Amino acid sequence: MITIDYRDRRPIYQQLMEKIEELAVSGLIKPEEQLPSVRSLAVELAINPNTIQRAYGELEKKGIVYSVPGRGSFLASGQETLLAINRAHNRQELAKLAARAKTFGLSREDFLSDAADAYDEGGVVE
């Protein structure tokens, strides 16, 4: 379910956070569902438990998960949580697209116009 790309330049804890967010958005992890324990995930992924604890801690700061002492970490409930995750991912993708548009000399106005058109068309590519 969760995989880590060791060739990726991003820290492992960030990759782990992103994977958990993706699983939440896709519905594979349901609100109020318990996340894998730090220990079991560390064994499964063959990474340091502190790395997983850091990822869970960062997700908790963002309000995406919450922890119950002695029970573990759980995906927070609420549409706001999923919207926040989606918005963060959208911003990351938009940043990549904006950088690419700038590289190829596309004006800000044209970029925003194209983005608005794509949104209005529901993401359908002609």
Side-chain angles (χ1 to χ4, degrees), residues 16-29:
L16 184 57
M17 288 174 58
E18 186 176 296
K19 296 291 183 184
I20 292 170
E21 290 172 350
E22 288 173 7
L23 292 170
V25 169
S26 68
L28 292 173
I29 299 177

Side-chain angles (χ1 to χ4, degrees), residues 14 24 37 58 91 106 112 116:
Q14 286 181 343
S37 73
E58 293 293 324
R91 284 181 177 209
L106 190 66
L112 292 174

Side-chain angles (χ1 to χ4, degrees), residues 81-92:
T81 301
L82 296 180
L83 288 173
I85 295 169
N86 264 326
R87 193 154 190 219
H89 283 282
N90 287 344
R91 284 181 177 209
Q92 288 174 345

Side-chain angles (χ1 to χ4, degrees), residues 34-101:
Q34 186 171 10
L35 299 177
S37 73
V38 169
R39 236 178 246 174
S40 68
L41 197 54
V43 169
E44 180 183 329
L45 299 175
I47 59 177
N48 191 310
N50 292 332
T51 302
I52 295 165
Q53 190 63 51
R54 181 171 182 188
Y56 282 8
E58 293 293 324
L59 288 169
E60 191 166 354
K61 285 180 190 174
K62 291 171 71 174
I64 295 169
V65 302
Y66 66 93
S67 62
V68 178
R71 298 233 20 244
S73 296
F74 298 80
L75 183 64
S77 64
Q79 192 63 19
E80 311 82 43
T81 301
L82 296 180
L83 288 173
I85 295 169
N86 264 326
R87 193 154 190 219
H89 283 282
N90 287 344
R91 284 181 177 209
Q92 288 174 345
E93 292 301 314
L94 282 170
K96 291 176 191 173
L97 291 171
R100 193 165 126 199

